[in-house]
Amino acid sequence: MTPRPESSGSHPERPAEQRPAEPAAPARKKKPAAAEALSEKGAAKKNTGKKAGVRKGTAGKGVPTKRVPKQGGTGKAGKAEAVRASGAGPAAGRSAPPEAGPAASPALGPADRERLLDGTHHDPHAVLGAHPVPGGVAFRVFKPYALAVTAVAGDLTVELHDDGGGFFSALLPLREVPAYRLLVTYEGTVREVEDAYRLLPTLGELDLHLIGEGRHEELWTALGAHPMTHQGVTGTRFAVWAPNARGVRVAGGFNFWDGTGHPMRSLGSSGVWELFVPGVGEGELYKFDIARPDGSRTLRADPMARRTEVPPATSSVVTSSGYVWGDAEWLARRAGTPAHEAPFSVYEVHLPSWRPGLTYRELAEVLPAYVADLGFTHVELMPVAEHPYGPSWGYQVTGFYAPTARLGTPDDFRYLVDALHRAGIGVIMDWVPAHFPRDEWALAEFDGRPLYEHADPLRAAHPDWGTLEFDFGRREVRNFLVANAVYWCEEFHIDGLRVDAVASMLYLDYSREPGRWTPNERGGRENLDAVAFLQEMNATVYRRVPGVVTVAEESTAWDGVTRATHHEGPSGFGGLGFGLKWNMGWMHDSLRYMSHEPVHRKYHHHEMTFSMVYAYSENYVLPISHDEVVHGKRSLVSKMPGDWWQRRAGLRAYLGFMWAHPGKQLLFMGQEFAQGAEWSEEHGPDWWLLDPAYGAEADHRGVRDLVRDLNTVYRHTPALWRLDTEPSGFRWVAGDAAEDNVVAFLRYDRDGTPLLAVSHFAPVVRHDYLIGVPDDVPAWHEVLNTDAARYGGGDVGGAGPVKPEPQGRHGFPASVRLTLPPLATVWLRPA
């Protein structure tokens, strides 16, 4: 992972006045009443013009008017406190207690009023809504900016007393709480709405128990914003984990970003705040208005938002999915063979720049066809989770549950994944659980104190990227991330997660100077919390989602990255449980070797052979990723020495060596056609190089044709992938031919069928070069030669089958006599 800019929001050098405006935390000031009127999304009914009060019912049956004494707000505060109901507002039909003594005043006392106005009331449902009290049922409504509020229950219509400050109340001589609605009068309009505070909680005890235990594997179904019908009322359930908050309100377009009238309730010790808001539906913008422990307020995007605004806007968006998948056949088939025993070649894609300007659905029309034509088995998508700063390439995430809105909606992203599956292509997604940016509207000190990040500043601050590291030891944070991994696999049918920056998670001293980190309880530098998290994440994903693979970008020699979590290694730790691991050592060594002039390569021969010393210590992917073709590292073809012909030849030889080497393959976009320039997220690959009108188009097309043939032969040759993780699948032929710049080895299928790969990294032709082979193969046939004319090579090589000679070579009883092309790799298999 390339170090990222310290800021993930607006550009760090951009003047403040050029940055996107953030909705301010609301202040209690008067605004036009019509504004709040429009905030109520229920079905509107116009007032008939009659003066509010106790009126005749509107059922059309001519029921006689019921006279109910109008209740004033003159009762003493103490009496109002005494009759306040506890817990959630009762459902309609709940019986009132027997009448005893004088009727209670329904008006709220000053303490409750102040807490509601300040947004620090932990249980607004206990005091708002309709509640049985001595003398009947008390109706209490909090509607800032309303001129009048009327309760309508069947054929009974009662105007509530205006208690001031947006509070309205009445005491009706009823024995049970009726089903009712509210008529809210604003300046110039009347709205008929449901009362959010008459409804029971939308989250049950099981959800809260699992959240408290940090074991809610479908956390996204409990927290966040969910359109639903609750107690017969249509609206949206909002829920957020904010255990340090003094109070939480929901603000959005539906209430003109003033959450005063929508306080949420705290659900016990879970730290979860919840509110069902009638009339709010798909597409509404929202945030959480949080009262922090220090008395200040903050307006935060939803950590569990499943959709967001298009950056640089930062609001969360209410969403639900109606997508109908068409990839059932793919899902049924993918669990048949483990990834490490199957063909697995990956095309890495940065979606926003692959074809700049295309949406998810537009990409679905071209990307699957392109990848399928080249023969890759999978695509790996650089982080698609929402991120505010585009040049971070998605590696500084603020919306862990939301595909970036830059390219479309969540269902649009589902459409792209579905299209890839229907084209026979698996989808791996880069996943970033190591850290998150400090943006003040996102996760950092979310509820006023460290919550998602570690409480110790030395543990929280990432030294390289100016970000914050997750507190993997906190069960709710671990739950947030484990559920997120499951979410992408289950909700978006993702086939694999490539986990970014694993090394930065595993070591307490990662990029930290002495004295800037504290050893673990064993006295070591391992982050035991991160180890436990990764083990839990892998175990959970593999248990819940058959056929999915997890891949670690881990740059150290940590023992057991791809070992099962229940198998303890020599270090005393169980395995991390990943399916595959990026082989960063192979990548660095082999690219270093290829960068040397051929005349000097004999002194660096070990850089091409050392990887086989540890090749079976883990299940490896051979990555030529985006990190290797940016920031001055040059593109892959530009790393090769020599003139243009030699560079292309060296690239072709290297790709042939890579596809034959044990391990899976990953190639970043643009490298498949020898793009000469470094990749930039601003314009993406240089597709114009493949324009037939361009003079050197054939040179670039030839490399792309080679990649297609490499994938085709690879997929149809089990010797190249069946035993990728078993030593019996590989045997050196010529591992020490440093003077000749030759590397040769055999790959085997499980039944013993071999493939011979010979790579020659010198710019000369070697005639009659003897290569040792087994004596039980009567003839060898060339199946791929990277020097073929159709790839842009010199077409040097054998034209027909090659028969072994009884002359032993390289420890084998027989040998074949080959003509080795310059800077080329040749594959041969039994004729």
Side-chain angles (χ1 to χ4, degrees):
M1 172 174 154
T2 299
R4 279 105 198 178
E6 291 190 2
S7 171
S8 67
S10 302
H11 194 284
E13 297 181 359
R14 188 181 299 169
E17 62 270 14
Q18 297 179 14
R19 300 176 187 170
E22 183 66 56
R28 297 202 312 276
K29 61 182 181 180
K30 190 71 175 178
K31 68 178 181 180
E36 174 64 10
L38 294 176
S39 71
E40 300 291 352
K41 296 295 186 179
K45 284 191 177 181
K46 288 292 184 179
N47 198 327
T48 60
K50 296 180 181 180
K51 185 175 181 180
V54 181
R55 296 191 295 270
K56 193 171 183 178
T58 58
K61 295 185 179 181
V63 178
T65 302
K66 294 185 179 180
R67 307 301 299 177
V68 180
K70 186 174 180 181
Q71 300 299 317
T74 59
K76 295 185 177 180
K79 184 179 293 184
E81 294 282 349
V83 301
R84 192 182 312 127
S86 61
R94 179 173 173 179
S95 297
E99 296 187 23
S105 168
L108 287 178
D112 283 317
R113 288 169 60 101
E114 188 63 24
R115 290 169 64 198
L116 286 167
L117 289 168
D118 286 343
T120 57
H121 205 298
H122 75 285
D123 195 4
H125 293 71
V127 295
L128 299 177
H131 300 270
V133 298
V137 175
F139 288 76
R140 304 186 187 102
V141 175
F142 181 34
K143 292 292 181 184
Y145 315 112
L147 302 180
V149 175
T150 300
V152 180
D155 59 359
L156 184 66
T157 303
V158 180
E159 182 176 348
L160 276 58
H161 182 270
D162 187 348
D163 299 328
F167 294 94
F168 299 83
S169 66
L171 178 62
L172 303 186
L174 305 175
R175 294 195 58 82
E176 60 183 23
V177 176
Y180 69 94
R181 292 169 66 84
L182 300 175
L183 292 175
V184 185
T185 302
Y186 298 99
E187 185 176 336
T189 188
V190 176
R191 310 290 292 182
E192 182 175 349
V193 300
E194 295 284 355
D195 186 359
Y197 298 94
R198 75 172 181 85
L199 303 174
L200 294 170
T202 55
L203 289 177
E205 292 183 4
L206 179 59
D207 281 319
L208 297 178
H209 172 75
L210 292 174
I211 291 171
E213 291 292 314
R215 298 289 181 181
H216 203 308
E217 294 177 0
E218 297 180 1
L219 188 65
W220 68 92
T221 66
L223 301 182
H226 293 268
M228 61 174 60
T229 299
H230 177 54
Q231 293 181 233
V233 179
T234 300
T236 294
R237 189 266 316 286
F238 295 92
V240 63
W241 179 60
N244 299 309
R246 296 178 60 208
V248 183
R249 303 184 291 203
V250 61
F254 55 90
N255 58 18
F256 292 86
W257 294 101
D258 183 349
T260 306
H262 288 94
M264 305 176 74
R265 62 178 144 204
S266 174
L267 298 179
S269 61
S270 65
V272 175
W273 299 76
E274 179 264 357
L275 178 65
F276 180 83
V277 182
V280 171
E282 180 110 9
E284 291 283 4
L285 304 183
Y286 72 98
K287 283 187 178 181
F288 294 114
D289 174 10
I290 298 174
R292 295 184 284 203
D294 65 0
S296 62
R297 308 199 66 84
T298 182
L299 201 59
R300 297 290 174 132
D302 184 358
M304 302 292 299
R306 291 167 294 127
R307 183 180 173 190
T308 70
E309 281 190 287
V310 178
T314 60
S315 295
S316 304
V317 183
V318 176
T319 189
S320 61
S321 176
Y323 189 77
V324 179
W325 289 90
D327 62 348
E329 182 180 347
W330 168 267
L331 296 181
R333 186 174 68 246
R334 74 177 181 186
T337 306
H340 61 278
E341 297 179 5
F344 194 94
S345 60
V346 183
Y347 184 61
E348 188 186 21
V349 178
H350 179 252
L351 282 178
S353 69
W354 186 74
R355 291 282 191 178
L358 297 189
T359 65
Y360 291 129
R361 289 184 178 267
E362 291 167 340
L363 285 165
E365 302 304 316
V366 290
L367 180 61
Y370 183 81
V371 176
D373 176 66
L374 290 182
F376 287 97
T377 66
H378 290 73
V379 292
E380 180 176 312
L381 307 180
M382 292 171 67
V384 295
E386 193 59 270
H387 50 283
Y389 185 53
S392 78
W393 311 331
Y395 288 100
Q396 293 191 357
V397 177
T398 49
F400 282 82
Y401 284 78
T404 180
R406 293 171 173 86
L407 307 181
T409 69
D411 275 357
D412 293 339
F413 181 61
R414 288 181 174 92
Y415 182 86
L416 172 59
V417 175
D418 201 2
L420 287 162
H421 284 172
R422 286 184 276 109
I425 300 163
V427 181
I428 300 167
M429 187 187 91
D430 281 13
W431 186 54
V432 192
H435 63 132
F436 57 91
R438 295 174 178 267
D439 301 74
E440 62 182 11
W441 50 268
L443 294 182
E445 293 192 350
F446 180 76
D447 58 4
R449 291 176 181 164
L451 187 64
Y452 290 91
E453 67 271 38
H454 203 282
D456 180 352
L458 293 181
R459 289 281 298 274
H462 197 293
D464 288 341
W465 305 317
T467 53
L468 295 169
E469 297 183 9
F470 282 101
D471 181 359
F472 301 110
R474 184 160 191 167
R475 60 181 181 271
E476 297 94 342
V477 174
R478 202 163 56 240
N479 191 174
F480 173 81
L481 293 171
V482 171
N484 187 242
V486 174
Y487 169 77
W488 288 106
C489 297
E490 292 189 352
E491 292 290 322
F492 292 94
H493 293 195
I494 296 296
D495 303 290
L497 298 172
R498 177 267 195 184
V499 183
D500 185 65
V502 171
S504 74
M505 302 163 64
L506 291 175
Y507 298 98
L508 295 169
D509 63 344
Y510 184 87
S511 288
R512 291 178 170 89
E513 298 295 330
R516 303 294 295 176
W517 63 279
T518 303
N520 63 36
E521 61 194 44
R522 302 182 184 181
R525 64 192 188 108
E526 301 87 1
N527 187 335
L528 303 181
D529 293 333
V531 171
F533 156 67
L534 291 170
Q535 292 173 328
E536 180 182 349
M537 181 277 296
N538 280 310
T540 305
V541 167
Y542 278 105
R543 171 171 50 81
R544 289 188 59 116
V545 196
V548 165
V549 62
T550 58
V551 186
E553 186 217 16
E554 204 285 306
S555 56
T556 73
W558 182 278
D559 173 54
V561 172
T562 58
R563 189 171 61 239
T565 58
H566 59 281
H567 289 170
E568 186 174 303
S571 62
F573 294 100
L576 297 182
F578 285 94
L580 298 168
K581 173 185 173 177
W582 274 21
N583 193 335
M584 311 292 280
W586 172 88
M587 179 268 296
H588 287 300
D589 287 347
S590 62
L591 289 181
R592 189 180 302 114
Y593 175 88
M594 295 304 299
S595 69
H596 296 305
E597 292 287 345
V599 69
H600 298 139
R601 285 175 177 166
K602 63 182 178 180
Y603 303 111
H604 301 275
H605 194 73
H606 64 283
E607 293 173 348
M608 293 299 267
T609 61
F610 181 68
S611 59
M612 291 310 303
V613 172
Y614 59 88
Y616 301 105
S617 62
E618 303 281 4
N619 305 334
Y620 281 117
V621 174
L622 311 178
I624 302 299
S625 72
H626 64 278
D627 275 335
E628 307 316 312
V629 295
V630 292
H631 297 332
K633 295 181 181 179
R634 297 175 295 173
S635 70
L636 192 54
V637 71
S638 297
K639 296 177 189 291
M640 309 296 160
D643 58 24
W644 176 231
W645 190 95
Q646 289 178 328
R647 288 183 176 184
R648 287 184 292 118
L651 171 60
R652 295 194 304 267
Y654 180 71
L655 292 175
F657 168 77
M658 173 183 174
W659 253 253
H661 191 284
K664 311 307 181 182
Q665 298 79 35
L666 180 141
L667 189 66
F668 184 61
M669 64 184 196
Q671 311 316 301
E672 77 273 17
F673 57 83
Q675 174 174 311
E678 285 187 339
W679 168 66
S680 168
E681 79 282 349
E682 294 181 357
H683 57 74
D686 291 335
W687 296 109
W688 56 270
L689 295 172
L690 297 171
D691 187 338
Y694 175 59
E697 178 265 345
D699 296 344
H700 299 278
R701 177 170 39 81
V703 174
R704 189 172 66 171
D705 289 345
L706 169 65
V707 170
R708 179 187 298 109
D709 289 352
L710 284 170
N711 277 324
T712 300
V713 177
Y714 169 77
R715 294 179 77 157
H716 292 90
T717 308
L720 289 173
W721 43 263
R722 184 88 70 190
L723 299 177
D724 256 340
T725 61
E726 299 180 31
S728 60
F730 177 91
R731 183 177 176 181
W732 277 117
V733 174
D736 57 355
E739 290 291 335
D740 300 330
N741 293 2
V742 170
V743 176
F745 50 82
L746 288 164
R747 299 293 308 278
Y748 291 97
D749 190 2
R750 199 173 297 280
D751 64 3
T753 302
L755 178 134
L756 175 63
V758 182
S759 293
H760 179 217
F761 296 111
V764 297
V765 179
R766 298 194 188 277
H767 298 279
D768 298 326
Y769 196 86
L770 290 178
I771 294 289
V773 293
D775 60 0
D776 59 352
V777 177
W780 295 83
H781 172 69
E782 182 179 282
V783 293
L784 187 137
N785 183 341
T786 65
D787 190 54
R790 65 181 180 277
Y791 306 141
D795 223 15
V796 176
V802 180
K803 295 184 177 181
E805 300 177 6
Q807 180 179 355
R809 185 76 170 173
H810 299 124
F812 288 85
S815 60
V816 291
R817 195 176 298 272
L818 302 176
T819 297
L820 299 185
L823 299 173
T825 291
V826 178
W827 291 356
L828 303 100
R829 64 185 176 195

